[in-house]
Amino acid sequence: MLRCVVLSTLAMSRVVDAQQRAVVPTLLPSVRSLQRLVGDDIDVSAVTVAAAAGQQDHVAKQANRFGQELGATADATGLLIELRQEDTLSRAQLGSPVAQDAHGAIYGDESYELTLTERGMTIAAAAPPGLFYGTRTALQLLQKAQDQRLPPLRIMDAPVSACLLRTM
């Protein structure tokens, strides 16, 4: 009888462990591509934000501003969030076209890729607006993380359509 109790307790602990895996929070607006990667959940309770080495001044300023929003630690502890602008980054990698012209697809400067692994989070974009939108997605992820944990993931996003605002 004791043997059965031990086995059932062990089985129950495995079920509980499986249920405690981090979930990806709902993002608004929804992103075009979200891929959950293989690996253990990542502790996001403390973060450090930095511009990748060799980046332009505006990337460093955006990293500083984002770090302040998050209350990021300045002593390089916790999850490293790195911002980088990559002018050579293929916009085709960053999402679907946002508009079409006679010559084919046009990709917007608001496209970005956010990757979270055990090594840290990287937000990469071809232009400053993409970096900004990537930080907004990261902010939502970090604020909504259950138990301060997130699964490894990759998000690639771009606007669904170009928006034209007209004032009257």
Side-chain angles (χ1 to χ4, degrees):
M1 183 72 155
L2 180 61
R3 190 176 198 185
C4 292
V5 172
V6 172
L7 288 176
S8 66
T9 303
L10 181 60
M12 288 298 289
S13 69
R14 287 185 182 158
V15 170
V16 170
D17 287 345
Q19 291 173 347
Q20 291 179 350
R21 299 266 330 199
V23 296
V24 179
T26 301
L27 299 170
L28 296 173
S30 61
V31 294
R32 288 188 160 224
S33 170
L34 190 151
Q35 176 186 11
R36 190 172 177 147
L37 304 175
V38 175
D40 293 331
D41 294 342
I42 299 159
D43 180 9
V44 295
S45 58
V47 298
T48 302
V49 180
Q55 295 294 300
Q56 298 173 3
D57 286 343
H58 71 87
V59 178
K61 288 178 185 175
Q62 196 160 15
N64 287 335
R65 186 170 44 249
F66 185 48
Q68 289 172 356
E69 284 181 285
L70 291 173
T73 58
D75 58 357
T77 61
L79 176 75
L80 174 63
I81 301 176
E82 193 173 70
L83 275 64
R84 65 178 57 203
Q85 181 175 331
E86 299 179 0
D87 295 328
T88 60
L89 192 61
S90 166
R91 294 189 185 193
Q93 293 175 310
L94 295 172
S96 299
V98 297
Q100 298 282 333
D101 69 1
H103 304 291
I106 298 172
Y107 292 88
D109 288 339
E110 293 135 359
S111 301
Y112 66 91
E113 179 175 331
L114 182 153
T115 306
L116 175 62
T117 67
E118 68 280 349
R119 287 180 269 146
M121 180 184 289
T122 302
I123 302 169
L131 281 177
F132 174 76
Y133 289 116
T135 63
R136 301 303 89 194
T137 299
L139 187 61
Q140 280 190 68
L141 285 170
L142 295 168
Q143 289 176 341
K144 295 179 178 182
Q146 291 181 355
D147 298 325
Q148 305 273 320
R149 302 191 71 68
L150 287 170
L153 54 84
R154 175 179 295 131
I155 293 173
M156 296 191 320
D157 197 19
V160 174
S161 62
C163 180
L164 175 63
L165 298 176
R166 192 169 95 186
T167 58
M168 300 230 165

